[in-house]
Amino acid sequence: MSNARANILARLRAVAPQEPAATPEPDFYPATKLGHAERIAQLKRLMEHMHAEVIVTDPQHWIATLKDVLRARQVNGLLYGPAGPLGAALEANWDSELPPLVGYTEEVEQCKERLFALDAGITSTRGAVADVGALMLWPDANEPRLLSLVPAVHIAVLEATHIHDSLADAIARERWAEGMPTNALLISGPSKTADIELVLTFGVHGPKELIVLVLDDERG
Amino acid sequence: MTETVVDFPKNFAEALNNSQLRRNLRAAMDTMGHRRRTLFADLDALEQLRARGDAIRWRALRQLPDLLEQLEKKCTENGIQVHWAETPAEANQICLGIIQRHHASRVIKGKSMVSEEMHLNHFLDEQGIEALETDLGEYIIQLDHETPSHIIVPAIHKNRDQIARLFHEKIPNAPYTEVVEELNAIARKVLREKFFAGEVGVSGVNFAVAETGTLCLVENEGNGRMCTTAPPVHIAVMGLEKVVERLEDVPPLLRLLTGSATGQLITTYFNMITSPRKPGEKDGPKEVHLVLLDNGRSKIWADPELRQTLKCIRCGACMNHCPVYTRLGGHAYGYVYPGPIGSILTPQLEGLDHAGAMATASTFCGACEEVCPVKIPITTILRRLRTESYDKADSPNAVKGHGYKVNRMESLTWKGWALSNATPWLNALNAKVLGLAGPHLSKLPQVGVLKHWGQSRALPPFARKSLHVLAKEKGIADE
């Protein structure tokens, strides 16, 4: 079996190199440059089409908006990353009448049961892409990967200035190729399937609801 | 491989006579075609995007050995363990070795066509290891001991009544319901427990980026993320052609893939995996393995024409638009990859002597080529495979099992035909004899080849006078 690598590469190397690149590579798209407000509007429209709920709010009052979102739902707790970008703000502003904040602070092996029993989770986002309507997440030690996947309700907080025109744009501007994280994600809505008669239904294995709070300084 | 004997005529007849299957397929294929057309409404933009996709895949294939080594180097630096397998049997052994090293008995799987090619589930089952499909469509067909009939929507041949009955019979305590949302909810409940308990996750790979050592996965349900995040070990299996050069190659291919497959601007999740869990991180697998499978791909690659087969990004659009596939469904083809792409890929992987008949399941209408997001010349390759079916010459790039159709009767017939056409007096004699027999030939007993051919056609009578004679009588000069 150890010869597989050598054998495969030997077969591939045995073929004389083909003609050098001659195929022209046209641009991906005629790049669309959107303004700040257009980007938010496009993201909202596309993500809502995919059954996400997108609420544009201002950076001072997003926690109040979050509380409204939670009061409108029956959830048994909100999973969050205490050391993540949202942790301190959540802890400082939490009310006792709200579902309890539960920190994702241990390795999954230690807290799997609790994790799978919680109804809602909240994460920050790295940004979003407007052309297809998707959030970008780079989960890390402070906001782990399952936080945006296991709870039935995923609440994501997005800063409006971090919305890119496209994925291609984000990859280029943020120089992703120079260092990719353990896991990078695009998320365009709650989980869905059309595997039975192509009937689109939402909430299969991942979250049933995705709520996006867009923090926009220029709002109003 | 277990599928050595496939009875195509029998399969085709059964599929064509299955009216339930025909209805299910018709509805689904029309919908998928419509969704694709709606998304790619701007045809000029689509052409530009296809040209780009084609160029990216060409560029990757041209440098395949270098990119595979770069991918291996980058992945290894990132902590992903890379394995190479020449055959499905080797790939299965690699997976088994990893699973056994972790004393695991519960494997959860995301959708992967390469794992179907390996018959991994069957293999693990024989070793006493449960390999559970978690994509809803794959879960449905696994419950019914079937294989996928479509590479994107594996259970497309079943309708909701059939799935309702299946769930009620096979899942303990599941009520009978034909409501799609309720069927979904049943599956979600069962599979949640499996995600919780899974010890090893297996997935495919849509694109592997050599530049960064990143494995990209495209999905809607979240089961792919579950399989690659919740268990402590993740094994990704991929055909070695799936590598691309740069990260910036990914966005155009992603758009082409989701748009061509299901008419979606983007899927719910695009999952990019570059390393196992790093120190301090709280979840994600502690080990990530990448299994690179050859299984004949390096041989396909050696031929500049056949190489184009390997540009495929597995969107399934060729199936949705194929007049043959949409009437038969995937199972009738008898192999893992059905439809137009299956008809060019499978005979090359399995040998023409086994699967060569797939290359005949085409009307040459070319719809597959028109929709192919990376411009694979499917009909050209089909024609090549048909030609090679009759070519016994051992050229270095000849397709495995070539010349399987050569038989004495047919060779003699064609030799006679060639002789007749090169010998004026013999040709004249033949034309005369056939002309005299003319009207009676259509009353030939319909046996042998004529039996199938004549079932839905009237045999044409031979004309009393040949074109040659008619032309002469009209005074057209014979050059």
Side-chain angles (χ1 to χ4, degrees), chain B residues 24-242:
Chain B
N24 296 354
L25 278 170
R26 177 87 263 168
M29 299 298 111
D30 284 351
T31 307
M32 308 243 314
H34 175 74
R35 284 181 188 166
R36 177 187 168 279
R37 280 192 298 280
T38 309
L39 185 84
F40 290 134
D42 181 343
L43 293 181
D44 292 336
L46 173 60
E47 278 319 294
Q48 193 176 332
L49 191 53
R50 289 176 72 219
R52 175 87 192 238
D54 178 26
I56 290 171
R57 292 298 297 136
W58 257 132
R59 174 159 47 76
L61 288 175
R62 209 163 27 231
Q63 322 170 62
L64 186 61
D66 295 338
L67 292 186
L68 286 172
E69 285 190 303
Q70 190 189 0
L71 177 70
E72 180 188 42
K73 180 169 169 284
K74 280 288 164 188
C75 283
T76 308
E77 283 171 14
N78 298 339
I80 295 176
Q81 300 174 48
V82 181
H83 311 261
W84 301 64
E86 288 192 85
T87 62
E90 279 184 13
N92 283 332
Q93 282 300 336
I94 292 167
C95 294
L96 179 66
I98 298 165
I99 294 164
Q100 285 180 336
R101 201 151 42 71
H102 290 273
H103 308 289
S105 59
R106 294 185 303 266
V107 172
I108 50 175
K109 281 189 67 207
K111 200 172 150 23
S112 152
M113 288 310 295
V114 166
S115 75
E116 296 287 343
E117 192 179 324
M118 292 157 55
H119 299 279
L120 178 62
N121 294 356
H122 181 70
F123 171 79
L124 290 179
D125 189 49
E126 282 179 345
Q127 308 291 327
I129 294 163
E130 178 193 64
L132 188 84
E133 294 290 347
T134 60
D135 170 84
L136 180 60
E138 292 275 354
Y139 174 70
I140 290 168
I141 57 172
Q142 190 180 36
L143 271 184
D144 216 5
H145 305 289
E146 285 188 313
T147 52
S149 67
H150 189 288
I151 65 171
I152 298 294
V153 269
I156 199 65
H157 57 287
K158 285 193 179 320
N159 63 13
R160 71 182 80 189
D161 315 2
Q162 292 166 319
I163 296 164
R165 243 174 291 131
L166 182 67
F167 276 21
H168 184 57
E169 282 166 19
K170 298 280 174 77
I171 302 173
N173 304 322
Y176 181 89
T177 171
E178 291 175 12
V179 180
V180 174
E181 286 76 8
E182 289 173 13
L183 290 168
N184 251 336
I186 293 170
R188 177 180 168 107
K189 190 153 172 278
V190 174
L191 289 171
R192 273 263 150 169
E193 286 166 26
K194 300 291 183 177
F195 291 130
F196 182 81
E199 296 163 311
V200 173
V202 172
S203 77
V205 174
N206 289 102
F207 319 111
V209 185
E211 178 181 35
T212 56
T214 300
L215 311 178
C216 303
L217 284 161
V218 177
E219 58 143 348
N220 281 309
E221 296 185 5
N223 68 306
R225 285 182 65 197
M226 285 283 191
C227 291
T228 58
T229 313
V233 182
H234 169 208
I235 304 172
V237 292
M238 73 173 236
L240 52 74
E241 81 281 22
K242 285 289 182 80

Side-chain angles (χ1 to χ4, degrees), chain B residues 333 339 458:
Chain B
Y333 290 81

Side-chain angles (χ1 to χ4, degrees), chain A residues 5 7 11 13 25-26 29 104 108 112 141 146 148 183-184 188 192-193 195 197 201 204-206, chain B residues 52 59 66 69 72 86 137 160 184 188 192 196 221 225 255 268 271-272 274 282-283 294 298:
Chain A
R5 181 183 187 278
N7 293 345
R11 271 197 296 277
R13 298 261 181 232
E25 298 196 22
Y29 316 112
Y104 192 162
V108 61
K112 212 171 188 179
L146 291 171
S148 62
N183 183 220
S188 67
K192 64 178 184 289
T193 184
D195 272 351
E197 289 190 11
T201 45
V204 206
H205 303 306
Chain B
R52 175 87 192 238
R59 174 159 47 76
D66 295 338
E69 285 190 303
E72 180 188 42
E86 288 192 85
R160 71 182 80 189
N184 251 336
R188 177 180 168 107
R192 273 263 150 169
F196 182 81
E221 296 185 5
R225 285 182 65 197
R255 173 70 61 87
T268 305
N271 184 4
M272 307 172 89
T274 306
K282 297 180 183 64
D283 57 18
D294 183 345
S298 56

Side-chain angles (χ1 to χ4, degrees), chain B residues 352 356 359 384-391 401-406:
Chain B
L352 283 164
R384 163 86 179 268
L385 295 175
R386 290 188 185 187
T387 306
E388 288 216 11
S389 300
Y390 287 97
D391 189 353
H402 64 99
Y404 83 102
K405 270 191 161 176
V406 174

